[in-house]
Amino acid sequence: MRVLGIETTCDETAAAVVETDGAGRPIIRSSEVLSQIAAHAAYGGVVPEIAARAHVEAVDHMVARALERAGVELSDIDGFAAAAGPGLIGGVMIGLTTAKALSLVTGKPLIAVNHLEGHALTPRLVEQVQFPYLLLLASGGHTQLIAVRGVGDYVRIGTTIDDAIGEAFDKVAKMLGLPYPGGPQVEREAAKGNPERFHLPRPMQGRPVADFSLSGLKTAVRQEAQKILPLRASDVSDLCASFQAAVVDVVADRTRVALRGFRDIAGHPTALVVAGGVAANMAIRRGLERLAAESGVRLVAPPLALCTDNGAIIAWAGLERLRMGIQDDLTVAARPRWPLDASKDTRAGAKA
């Protein structure tokens, strides 16, 4: 089975071809990603109108390049998957419309993929992890702890009540004068700094419910920075290091709570999985490695290229759904918000 996946939910235009071999093992035949970072850098964040125009200009080319790199023709594809949400609605519509057109022309199935499900199923693309497992989904727009019980079967254990982790990193970077995108810049500065210089809070630590709150920590960084203005380079590094250390502690504590509650929801987890753009942060990965060892579960963290938005995770989620007989018709709509666990309310930081 072979699926072409299209991702256009934010500021990457991506397409990929993923297939399974005779034994059902996944193979990424191609994965092409065109970043829009340069187009948005001057604004300090993603501008939806600019992003949508860039997707329009690039998506056909990215699809063609993914097919060429995979060495296949359009007729060789068994299904077309597109991220149908959540995300910036203009971009989402472009990717979904492209997949609809390809489905209509070829007569092959269309699969509308929840972008979050792409991240949720990534460990099965790279290591064939068995269900159920605990997922920490952490990115610029999402922070959720989810019990992944099967394809399309998700129970949200915790989420953020305000900022997502990646959003907090970006906002701290902006207040400290670091360039966009902010998250990687904070991590680089943190590597040079003293994480014990500033005593920052660990919001929600010790609470019995596995929710996050980052806005107070972000405010604390601003207050510490204002006390020592003007900031020297060493001050910025120390602030970043102290902030990142606080986030690592919070992530470990909140995930520990989720692991304790997981058994009542889904039994024994086969793994602890971290996915999404924030999963590329090595300090957070190391903190989760320590937690996994302490809890007696293995940590699965996808390769860095599969942490950020890409077409391969959308193609794989589409393939997983297609081989279960799940597909969509051409009336399926783009969705700016789309929770994985439909039984839960949408909170501000979950953005889904």
Side-chain angles (χ1 to χ4, degrees):
M1 187 173 287
R2 184 179 295 128
V3 171
L4 185 143
I6 302 171
E7 159 58 39
T8 56
T9 59
C10 191
D11 59 346
E12 282 93 15
T13 310
V17 175
V18 174
E19 66 183 25
T20 50
D21 63 15
R25 293 182 295 256
I27 303 168
I28 300 175
R29 292 288 298 271
S30 65
S31 182
E32 302 297 316
V33 181
L34 180 63
S35 174
Q36 300 176 9
I37 286 177
H40 300 287
Y43 304 95
V46 179
V47 180
E49 293 82 1
I50 293 175
R53 286 198 297 270
H55 289 311
V56 169
E57 294 170 359
V59 67
D60 289 348
H61 173 66
M62 298 305 290
V63 167
R65 199 159 79 177
L67 291 168
E68 181 182 359
R69 294 285 175 86
V72 299
E73 302 291 335
L74 202 59
S75 58
D76 298 321
I77 301 298
D78 297 306
F80 298 94
L88 301 175
I89 192 63
V92 173
M93 291 174 64
I94 291 159
L96 181 58
T97 300
T98 302
K100 286 181 178 182
L102 294 171
S103 172
L104 184 61
V105 167
T106 61
K108 301 293 181 64
L110 168 72
I111 311 100
V113 172
N114 186 319
H115 172 83
L116 305 184
E117 186 170 48
H119 287 300
L121 298 177
T122 301
R124 292 171 54 79
L125 171 61
V126 295
E127 293 195 28
Q128 284 290 274
V129 177
Q130 299 301 306
F131 301 117
Y133 50 86
L134 177 64
L135 168 70
L136 169 62
L137 176 57
S139 67
H142 308 279
T143 297
Q144 301 180 45
L145 284 157
I146 299 168
V148 181
R149 301 191 297 193
V151 176
D153 186 3
Y154 309 100
V155 179
R156 194 181 75 197
I157 301 173
T159 186
T160 176
I161 61 176
D162 40 60
D163 290 352
I165 295 175
E167 183 180 6
F169 267 84
D170 288 342
K171 288 180 177 178
V172 165
K174 193 169 185 177
M175 74 173 68
L176 296 179
L178 298 175
Y180 173 85
Q185 298 293 337
V186 170
E187 184 178 9
R188 291 188 192 99
E189 289 295 326
K192 302 182 289 185
N194 175 10
E196 298 181 358
R197 178 178 169 189
F198 298 98
H199 300 287
L200 300 175
R202 271 61 173 167
M204 307 290 283
Q205 193 167 45
R207 299 283 184 91
V209 178
D211 286 336
F212 294 78
S213 174
L214 280 301
S215 65
L217 174 57
K218 180 187 63 184
T219 300
V221 173
R222 178 183 289 108
Q223 291 172 340
E224 293 294 338
Q226 288 173 341
K227 290 177 186 177
I228 56 174
L229 290 174
L231 297 177
R232 300 170 298 175
S234 60
D235 297 329
V236 172
S237 296
D238 292 345
L239 283 164
C240 288
S242 299
F243 166 75
Q244 182 172 267
V247 172
V248 170
D249 288 347
V250 167
V251 166
D253 178 73
R254 305 288 75 212
T255 306
R256 185 181 293 109
V257 172
L259 280 168
R260 287 199 292 264
F262 186 93
R263 298 177 193 279
D264 294 334
I265 296 170
H268 184 74
T270 63
L272 168 60
V273 174
V274 57
V278 175
N281 182 291
M282 298 311 296
I284 291 176
R285 285 199 185 204
R286 288 191 294 269
L288 290 171
E289 285 171 356
R290 293 190 293 269
L291 173 62
E294 163 198 314
S295 304
V297 297
R298 65 173 174 141
L299 176 69
V300 176
L304 299 184
L306 294 179
C307 289
T308 52
D309 294 351
N310 63 89
I313 65 173
I314 303 304
W316 173 245
L319 197 153
E320 289 252 53
R321 296 179 73 80
L322 187 59
R323 64 184 178 182
M324 292 178 63
I326 303 171
Q327 56 183 280
D328 297 279
D329 61 39
L330 296 178
T331 65
V332 65
R335 301 175 63 173
R337 293 182 181 270
W338 189 1
L340 271 183
D341 183 349
S343 70
K344 295 292 195 299
D345 63 318
T346 301
R347 302 188 193 177
K351 294 186 179 174

